[in-house]
């Protein structure tokens, strides 16, 4: 007598299992970001992440096997999120270089990207980057692409406005200023708010590219 055939899971059930796995991974990554922001890099443990996600420690081990793999996945997620965010802003701005540069600067202070929780997690990774080449490689390609966009936009604005500056150095200075503003926001320096930081960045653009950007009065209302 032939053994009864096993009923194969329906496509919807397969998708449900996959979604459940992806959902759990995302829960663990979000909990890791929370722990990095609260405890820092060295004090974050797999147990902290499991508790923060409301999942068992066995599930954390099943998905990531080790703390290092979990942290690499978290950094990859944050790097991909940041890259997708600025690329979307650039695309939405159209072809005008001034609009594109303004969109990139504004995108850096959007609440989904620029909030104390994620800034603190970024700083935790930055503190480890020097001794962990994997982290440098992970973010290197995205950073290089982002910096090249700044260089290209500065070069186009220079040609269009007849400015007397070096495009590479100006782009490097703009990137360094944005990183410095993020650091001030993370450290909670006096008067450090996203609104003030974005206004400072806008002032920089108006100073370097006066034919393309005008100075604005400081805004008191909160930015989105």
């Amino acid at each position: 007598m032939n053994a009864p055939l096993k009923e194969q899971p329906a496509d919807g059930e397969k998708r449900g299992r996959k979604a459940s796995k992806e959902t759990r991974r995302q829960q663990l990554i979000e909990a890791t970001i929370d722990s990095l922001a609260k405890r820092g890099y060295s004090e974050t443990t797999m147990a902290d992440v499991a508790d923060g996600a409301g999942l068992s420690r066995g599930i954390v081990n099943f998905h990531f096997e080790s703390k290092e793999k979990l942290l690499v996945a978290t950094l990859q997620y944050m790097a991909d999120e940041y890259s997708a965010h600025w690329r979307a802003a650039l695309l939405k701005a159209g072809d005008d270089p001034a609009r594109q540069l303004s969109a990139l600067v504004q995108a850096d202070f959007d609440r989904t990207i620029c909030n104390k929780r994620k800034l603190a997690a970024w700083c935790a990774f930055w503190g480890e980057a020097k001794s962990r080449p994997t982290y440098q490689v992970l973010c290197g390609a995205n950073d290089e692409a982002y910096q090249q966009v700044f260089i290209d936009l500065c070069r186009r604005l220079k040609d269009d406005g007849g400015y007397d500056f070096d495009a590479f150095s100006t782009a490097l200075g703009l990137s360094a200023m944005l990183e410095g503003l993020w650091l001030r926001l993370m450290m909670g320096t006096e008067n450090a708010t996203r609104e003030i930081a974005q206004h400072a960045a806008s002032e920089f653009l108006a100073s370097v590219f006066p034919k393309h950007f005008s100075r604005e009065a400081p805004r008191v209302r909160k930015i989105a």
Side-chain angles (χ1 to χ4, degrees), residues 121-132:
W122 273 118
C123 283
F125 282 119
W126 289 339
E128 296 293 320
K130 187 175 180 181
S131 59
R132 297 178 187 273

Side-chain angles (χ1 to χ4, degrees), residues 62-77:
F62 171 75
H63 285 288
F64 293 105
E65 297 180 6
S66 68
K67 173 181 171 178
E68 183 59 24
K69 288 185 177 180
L70 172 60
L71 289 168
V72 166
T74 301
L75 179 57
Q76 181 72 72
Y77 168 77

Side-chain angles (χ1 to χ4, degrees), residues 5-167:
L5 293 174
K6 277 190 176 182
E7 187 178 344
Q8 296 298 315
D11 288 345
E13 185 181 345
K14 287 181 182 177
R15 286 195 297 271
R17 289 177 181 174
K18 184 179 179 182
S20 175
K21 181 179 180 181
E22 290 170 353
T23 299
R24 285 179 177 174
R25 282 179 63 89
Q26 188 60 34
Q27 281 179 285
L28 294 170
I29 285 172
E30 294 292 346
T32 304
I33 295 172
D34 287 338
S35 185
L36 288 169
K38 181 180 178 181
R39 301 178 181 87
Y41 188 94
S42 59
E43 296 301 317
T44 289
T45 66
M46 299 279 271
D48 293 327
V49 172
D51 293 343
L55 298 171
S56 72
R57 297 177 191 182
I59 288 179
V60 187
N61 289 322
F62 171 75
H63 285 288
F64 293 105
E65 297 180 6
S66 68
K67 173 181 171 178
E68 183 59 24
K69 288 185 177 180
L70 172 60
L71 289 168
V72 166
T74 301
L75 179 57
Q76 181 72 72
Y77 168 77
M78 292 178 65
D80 289 347
E81 179 189 47
Y82 183 77
S83 179
H85 183 72
W86 71 256
R87 289 177 190 277
L90 187 67
L91 185 63
K92 189 176 178 181
D95 296 326
D96 181 71
R99 288 178 63 85
Q100 289 179 322
L101 189 56
S102 177
L104 287 178
V105 169
Q106 291 178 37
D108 236 30
F109 300 103
D110 186 280
R111 189 184 299 276
T112 58
I113 294 295
C114 181
N115 56 63
K116 287 187 177 180
R117 171 177 169 266
K118 285 183 181 173
L119 291 178
W122 273 118
C123 283
F125 282 119
W126 289 339
E128 296 293 320
K130 187 175 180 181
S131 59
R132 297 178 187 273
T134 305
Y135 293 2
Q136 297 175 37
V137 172
L138 227 163
C139 295
N142 283 337
D143 289 347
E144 188 176 338
Y146 185 62
Q147 185 62 34
Q148 189 58 53
V149 170
F150 273 109
I151 294 169
D152 292 342
L153 291 177
C154 286
R155 186 176 291 121
R156 289 171 63 191
L157 289 173
K158 175 184 177 179
D159 293 342
D160 184 61
Y163 300 122
D164 182 23
F165 59 63
D166 176 69

Side-chain angles (χ1 to χ4, degrees), residues 197-214:
Q198 181 168 318
H199 179 70
S202 298
E203 281 285 298
F204 179 89
L205 295 182
S207 298
V208 180
F209 311 100
K211 296 177 184 177
H212 295 89
F213 298 95
S214 57

